[in-house]
Amino acid sequence: MIEPFLSAIPVLKRLEDAGFEAYFVGGSVRDYFLNKQISDVDIATSATPKEVKGIFSKTVDIGIEHGTVLVLFDHKSYEITTFRTEGDYQDYRRPKEVSFIRNLNEDLQRRDFTMNAMAMDRTGTLIDPFNGQLAISKEEIQTVGSANDRFQEDALRMMRAVRFVSQLSFSIEEETLQALTNLVPLLKNIAIERKRAEFEKILIGNNCNNAIKILLETNLFSYLPGLANQEKLIGKLLDFDCVGLNKNEMWALLLFCLNVKEESIEDFLRNWRLPVKEIKDIQHILFFVQKRFEQEWAVHDLYTAGSNLITSTEKLYNVIIGLKGTESLPNLLNLYQKLPIKQRSDLDVTGGDLMEWFNQKGGPWLKETIFKIEQAIVNEKVENDKQKIKEWLLTCSQK
Ligand code: ATP
Ligand code: MG
């Protein structure tokens, strides 16, 4: 076995010593058999949340109604979830209430895909009642049991299937794909936040283009905010090699393909329930990409954008114009690094200084003057030195 499983073995051992069963489950076991980087291990146990909390001294209730307790052990944290079934599903969504059970197989049975329904004990023995390992070797995404039933229980699983296409470059097994094609309208019932989480993973996956093709072929895109009737424009995404773009850069590329006007970007992203900060970041990327189409970077734009936005803009611009790599970037970042100031607070003058020098109260003139000083400093017309700025301003006002 390898890390992070090795560090977690004592956690399983503790649960076993207390008389319970405990296994590694879910994505970490799948990724282990795929030789992929494993971010964190999920642990499933026959102990109830209350029993788990009795065994470990440091725990946090993070989703106790779903049976999940966060355990802090040896400076690391582990999500430990009690074996459960999901009882009756309502309105094609995940049930609110779950029942805890003592049996591993039943827990594995409620999981979405066979590759995600494997467990591994602390000695490395695999428990694989639904042939997940075979699915992995065939690179296939297949539901546990009837795809029709499983997608009707929780329609989000259809998006998860496409998300795994993007992340793992697997294909969707025939019956699973057939059920998906028939049942996509059920996605109407799914909370946008849950759809967004999967959609973002689709966007940043290595095999994004194949996943987008499936979204189009199955009509799934019609059940996503702002995408209905946009088949042609969504298809433009396929023209680009977007591997390596991050989440915000991908949102910006999508908006670019969809031709969303500047004033409608916020509404589009709000409909996806994106946080305000991310909406702003994406708007900024699109603003500078637009500008980049019109002209080379001006020094003042490098200053206003800052290194993260310069990077995102340049990456996306190069993808759009079909240039591989980002050769232009180091030079731009170097120019940025050499700027005499990086932000307004680096200025050697304050609004207070200006009001005193000109003996005037605050007002729009103050913002304009500060902007003028920033421009002059980044363009090396004046040094960032209080006295020199004062002299420069006086000569300007005499002109
Ligand atoms: P990732 O590596 O992206 O975290 P993951 O497979 O771990 O992928 P999670 O969303 O973290 O995905 O879910 C953990 C596990 O819980 C899955 O492997 C699967 O067994 C189960 N699971 C998650 N969502 C569902 C669902 N909607 N229906 C059934 N089982 C699910
Ligand atoms: Mg996971």
Side-chain angles (χ1 to χ4, degrees):
M1 243 187 286
I2 50 163
E3 285 296 351
F5 295 111
L6 290 175
S7 297
I9 290 174
V11 177
L12 302 199
K13 179 100 177 29
R14 274 263 191 117
L15 286 157
E16 286 180 8
D17 288 347
F20 301 102
E21 287 179 42
Y23 302 90
F24 300 116
V25 286
S28 57
V29 180
R30 175 197 69 223
D31 290 345
Y32 176 54
F33 285 98
L34 276 167
N35 287 321
K36 284 206 165 216
Q37 174 91 24
I38 297 154
S39 46
D40 44 21
V41 296
D42 295 316
I43 295 170
T45 180
S46 59
T48 63
K50 210 170 150 202
E51 286 162 342
V52 172
K53 286 166 71 169
I55 293 168
F56 297 95
S57 54
K58 288 190 196 139
T59 64
V60 186
D61 293 356
I62 53 165
I64 220 150
E65 65 288 0
H66 297 113
T68 306
V69 175
L70 188 78
V71 168
L72 307 173
F73 186 88
D74 199 15
H75 308 293
K76 295 196 178 76
S77 62
Y78 299 95
E79 279 187 24
I80 302 187
T81 304
T82 305
F83 296 157
R84 62 182 206 212
T85 59
E86 307 214 313
D88 288 337
Y89 295 82
Q90 275 174 4
D91 306 327
Y92 314 107
R93 272 177 264 173
R94 227 175 18 181
K96 284 222 167 60
E97 285 190 2
V98 298
S99 339
F100 300 137
I101 48 173
R102 298 284 187 185
N103 181 290
L104 170 70
N105 268 32
E106 271 185 73
D107 178 89
L108 296 177
Q109 196 163 11
R110 62 139 181 118
R111 293 173 184 269
D112 48 6
F113 304 111
T114 57
M115 63 183 182
N116 289 343
M118 304 188 293
M120 188 166 73
D121 73 10
R122 69 182 161 83
T123 67
T125 303
L126 187 69
I127 297 100
D128 182 16
F130 306 103
N131 290 323
Q133 221 183 359
L134 179 69
I136 289 176
S137 68
K138 294 206 286 190
E139 307 198 330
E140 262 186 359
I141 300 158
Q142 177 171 26
T143 51
V144 174
S146 151
N148 259 304
D149 293 350
R150 305 313 309 279
F151 290 155
Q152 289 189 58
E153 286 167 2
D154 180 1
L156 186 79
R157 290 171 186 157
M158 294 186 270
M159 274 195 87
R160 289 176 56 85
V162 184
R163 175 266 262 211
F164 288 117
V165 169
S166 185
Q167 278 184 331
L168 307 177
S169 305
F170 280 21
S171 56
I172 303 178
E173 174 274 332
E174 204 179 311
E175 204 186 307
T176 303
L177 183 63
Q178 190 58 50
L180 191 155
T181 313
N182 293 336
L183 296 173
V184 278
L186 297 182
L187 275 163
K188 283 199 288 279
N189 306 290
I190 299 298
I192 292 178
E193 288 79 357
R194 293 182 76 206
K195 290 186 195 172
R196 190 189 76 218
E198 299 302 330
F199 187 64
E200 289 183 330
K201 289 181 179 169
I202 289 174
L203 288 179
I204 58 172
N206 278 334
N207 199 18
C208 172
N209 276 10
N210 266 358
I212 299 282
K213 278 184 203 151
I214 295 174
L215 291 184
L216 292 171
E217 283 160 11
T218 60
N219 202 30
L220 198 158
F221 72 95
S222 296
Y223 302 92
L224 302 177
L227 299 190
N229 304 317
Q230 304 281 3
E231 194 166 0
K232 260 218 169 90
L233 298 181
I234 300 167
K236 278 171 63 179
L237 274 177
L238 303 174
D239 296 341
F240 302 113
D241 178 4
C242 41
V243 172
L245 293 186
N246 68 25
K247 202 169 66 180
N248 285 351
E249 292 153 6
M250 281 306 296
W251 277 113
L253 180 63
L254 176 66
L255 286 155
F256 177 86
C257 290
L258 292 175
N259 249 332
V260 178
K261 299 274 161 294
E262 203 177 329
E263 61 276 15
S264 310
I265 295 173
E266 184 173 348
D267 275 351
F268 179 94
L269 295 173
R270 267 178 188 268
N271 286 337
W272 274 98
R273 310 275 189 277
L274 250 78
V276 177
K277 163 85 171 77
E278 283 175 43
I279 295 182
K280 289 238 157 9
D281 289 346
I282 295 163
Q283 282 175 314
H284 289 149
I285 296 174
L286 280 162
F287 172 82
F288 281 106
V289 166
Q290 201 57 49
K291 210 163 186 185
R292 187 71 180 78
F293 272 105
E294 289 154 19
Q295 60 184 64
E296 291 286 327
W297 284 91
V299 179
H300 191 259
D301 287 332
L302 292 175
Y303 166 73
T304 317
S307 55
N308 288 345
L309 250 178
I310 298 170
T311 307
S312 286
T313 305
E314 209 54 23
K315 274 170 71 186
L316 182 53
Y317 175 73
N318 283 339
V319 164
I320 293 173
I321 63 168
L323 255 189
K324 278 214 178 302
T326 41
E327 272 174 34
S328 52
L329 193 55
N331 190 29
L332 289 169
L333 290 176
N334 194 24
L335 277 175
Y336 173 76
Q337 281 316 324
K338 285 190 182 143
L339 290 178
I341 51 170
K342 301 285 187 298
Q343 58 226 337
R344 194 156 285 178
S345 59
D346 295 341
L347 284 177
D348 201 28
V349 289
T350 63
D353 295 330
L354 296 174
M355 289 192 279
E356 197 189 306
W357 296 344
F358 290 94
N359 199 17
Q360 275 190 54
K361 284 200 187 120
W365 71 274
L366 194 58
K367 221 177 144 187
E368 283 161 26
T369 311
I370 290 177
F371 181 74
K372 200 165 90 174
I373 300 171
E374 287 174 292
Q375 287 249 13
I377 293 175
V378 295
N379 285 300
E380 295 180 5
K381 298 222 159 62
V382 61
E383 261 178 64
N384 184 26
D385 171 276
K386 199 177 215 152
Q387 200 49 40
K388 297 212 164 114
I389 294 170
K390 190 174 178 183
E391 284 162 19
W392 178 79
L393 277 175
L394 288 174
T395 52
C396 286
S397 61
Q398 280 161 11
K399 277 184 200 157

